Amino acid sequence: MKDRFKAVMVRKDADKQTVEDVEIGLNDLMDGDVVVAVSHSTVNYKDGLVLTGRAPVVRKFPMIAGIDLAGTVETSSHPQFKPGDKVILNGYGLSETHFGGYAEYARVKGDWLVPLPQAFTPAEAMAIGTAGYTAMLCVLALEDAGVTPDKGSIVVTGAAGGVGSVAISLLAKLGYQVTASTGRTEEEGYLKGLGATEIIPRTELSGDPRPLAKERWAGGVDSVGSKTLANVIASLRYGGAVAACGLAAGMDLPTSVAPFILRNVSLLGVDSVQMPKPRRLQAWERLARDLDVSKLAAITQTIPLSGVRKVADDILAGRVRGRLVVQI
């Protein structure tokens, strides 16, 4: 174990936020009963918000960024983990109130950790990351709501992003017909390669919504929010449901009660940060079973730890396709 190691630190002085590459020691880490040697992390949309300071995600400064990590247990006083165990961690306040994954070591609570499924390497687990894990939570929510492949097609918004890319791959493998909504129609080949059967431009769902529209989809996975989510809700078939997990277009929801009452549809909120551990384990077990690992290479780029700041603006602007893996 190194005495000093690399980390990406977010600081705030008055109203000015800065991000620095620093060297720290184990004594500088926060409390926890497991020390993990971090091998990989990711850059999610939320990481972009942290690194740019465009939203008040960080609630304690200074803060090591990175909401995900994968690595090997170095030391542990937790009964479920021992040195050498491969583990992953998504959320639980990483990069908000607890030091995150953009460092060579992390000290965390063992209760937050999930064993790395044998189906994945640490790099593959981070190619999935919070975005892919959230996509699986959305699929589970749709299944729980009775949205099965025979009920009709599923629309995935923000389709070329991290959540969207994994959601399309999962849904297609499970037998659903998938409509991909994207602002980057030049990615049609990429999205169809993941399993989408239809591509529609983002503008088709971003206009002012009506209370009810033509019934089109049995379900949806939405990471955009605002008018896009309202238009999806208005276009659900009777008894349909949409799993909402993001707010890239805003936190507002300009809709009405009409589709909920007249079409018996459901809006399923999906949180990944504080999701109870049994559901986390279920999601990762299903990812190991239902995600085509061969598709991960097509949706993944790998960057060094020193490169995370350079891609923050790109991911917020929707210029990143698929997933970004950070090799620590």
Side-chain angles (χ1 to χ4, degrees), residues 50-278:
V50 169
L51 293 166
T52 61
R54 292 189 193 175
V57 176
V58 180
R59 300 202 293 274
K60 184 182 293 185
F61 292 92
M63 178 59 59
I64 294 175
I67 67 171
D68 289 324
L69 64 85
T72 304
V73 173
E74 282 278 344
T75 64
S76 172
S77 59
H78 191 280
Q80 293 181 1
F81 297 100
K82 64 184 186 304
D85 287 347
K86 303 292 185 182
V87 293
I88 48 181
L89 202 168
N90 310 106
Y92 275 127
L94 290 194
S95 195
E96 298 179 61
T97 58
H98 196 93
F99 283 178
Y102 292 169
E104 292 182 78
Y105 293 96
R107 184 185 288 119
V108 298
K109 294 182 179 179
D111 288 344
W112 298 347
L113 296 170
V114 171
L116 176 72
Q118 290 186 352
F120 303 128
T121 65
E124 289 169 340
M126 290 297 95
I128 298 166
T130 283
Y133 151 65
T134 302
M136 187 73 250
L137 291 174
C138 289
V139 173
L140 291 172
L142 292 176
E143 291 178 346
D144 290 347
V147 181
T148 51
D150 61 295
K151 297 290 181 63
S153 62
I154 307 294
V155 62
V156 176
T157 66
V163 173
S165 295
V166 179
I168 291 169
S169 182
L170 285 167
L171 290 163
K173 189 174 179 184
L174 290 168
Y176 292 88
Q177 297 292 306
V178 182
T179 298
S181 167
T182 180
R184 292 177 277 172
T185 51
E186 69 274 11
E187 299 287 11
E188 179 174 351
Y190 165 76
L191 295 170
K192 287 190 172 179
L194 294 178
T197 53
E198 180 186 13
I199 313 297
I200 61 173
R202 177 172 57 201
T203 52
E204 200 167 309
L205 293 174
S206 61
D208 291 335
R210 293 185 294 171
L212 287 172
K214 179 181 178 182
E215 296 182 49
R216 299 178 68 178
W217 299 294
V221 173
D222 176 68
S223 59
V224 178
S226 191
K227 292 179 180 180
T228 296
L229 177 55
N231 276 304
V232 171
I233 292 169
S235 301
L236 289 175
R237 295 182 181 180
Y238 188 90
V242 56
C245 64
L247 40 76
M251 294 180 66
D252 61 313
L253 184 57
T255 188
S256 76
V257 299
F260 301 101
I261 294 173
L262 300 179
R263 291 187 181 161
N264 197 39
V265 304
S266 300
L267 174 59
L268 312 170
V270 174
D271 165 64
S272 63
V273 177
Q274 298 296 337
M275 184 60 63
K277 194 164 184 177

